[in-house]
Amino acid sequence: GAVVSQHPSWVICKSGTSVKIECRSLDFQATTMFWYRQFPKQSLMLMATSNEGSKATYEQGVEKDKFLINHASLTLSTLTVTSAHPEDSSFYICSASGGANQETQYFGPGTRLLVL
Amino acid sequence: AQSVAQPEDQVNVAEGNPLTVKCTYSVSGNPYLFWYVQYPNRGLQFLLKYITGDNLVKGSYGFEAEFNKSQTSFHLKKPSALVSDSALYFCAVRDISTDKLIFGTGTRLQVFP
């Protein structure tokens, strides 16, 4: 149980384009989803927290107009990197919590984004 | 402020030997503590957690961790390491007021055959 998927697993795009990443909880209802960014050989950096049906809460220094987050249902959250630039290249990981294990975050497999 | 420290960047151990990955925490109130493992180019996999109850917590893949309140530690252990245990391990504490996880910097475990 507690499986979280992400799609796509990797994406290469041109500078200036937008990229959407999906995060799904497959076998539980995720009342809260989190989006992280991880740089090489570093720990995870929380970008934002989203609760189903409400606006995401962004961490300090994260541009909400740059990283659009939608949590439209209890099983799906999306992160859209708008007008991507090379410095947005990173490993993006989502997590979800809810159901019987509200206190535990379960992580997706991650999405590697490369902006050329 | 709540924080987690993983004092070792890397831990090396021979296959078959016991392993310990250290974690200490600083929180106000009772801690919710977690261990996750990350394999290359993958997300984090949940190993185990301590919320309350028995100080020795058993988790996935034969791992266990001991909650020590007096030493504010939550070290990850395994009696006999496998080469396939080689990965990056993260300790984390949950901020009760925000539900956010506060991660340590990670410890790379290398198990040699």
Side-chain angles (χ1 to χ4, degrees), chain A residues 34 36 38 42-44 46 59 91 93 101-110 112, chain B residues 32 34 36 38 41-44 46 49 51 88 90 94 98-101 103-105:
Chain A
F34 303 82
Y36 295 84
Q38 188 179 30
Q42 293 190 24
S43 187
L44 279 70
L46 180 64
E59 294 299 298
F91 193 52
I93 309 174
N101 291 297
Q102 183 67 40
E103 71 280 348
T104 303
Q105 288 185 31
Y106 294 93
F107 286 79
R112 183 153 310 275
Chain B
Y32 283 24
F34 301 82
Y36 290 88
Q38 185 179 32
N41 297 309
R42 302 292 294 173
L44 275 64
F46 169 71
K49 65 184 176 185
I51 304 297
L88 187 58
F90 288 102
R94 180 172 175 245
T98 65
D99 288 343
K100 295 177 185 178
L101 280 179
F103 285 93
T105 50

Side-chain angles (χ1 to χ4, degrees), chain B residues 79-93:
Chain B
S80 178
L82 300 173
V83 173
S84 58
D85 293 330
S86 299
L88 187 58
Y89 290 80
F90 288 102
C91 181
V93 64

Side-chain angles (χ1 to χ4, degrees), chain B residues 1-32:
Chain B
Q2 302 186 87
S3 65
V4 172
Q6 292 181 245
E8 304 155 315
D9 289 336
Q10 180 154 333
V11 169
N12 299 317
V13 65
E15 188 175 31
N17 283 1
L19 69 86
T20 298
V21 182
K22 296 180 180 177
C23 172
T24 58
Y25 65 89
S26 175
V27 300
S28 54
N30 295 320
Y32 283 24

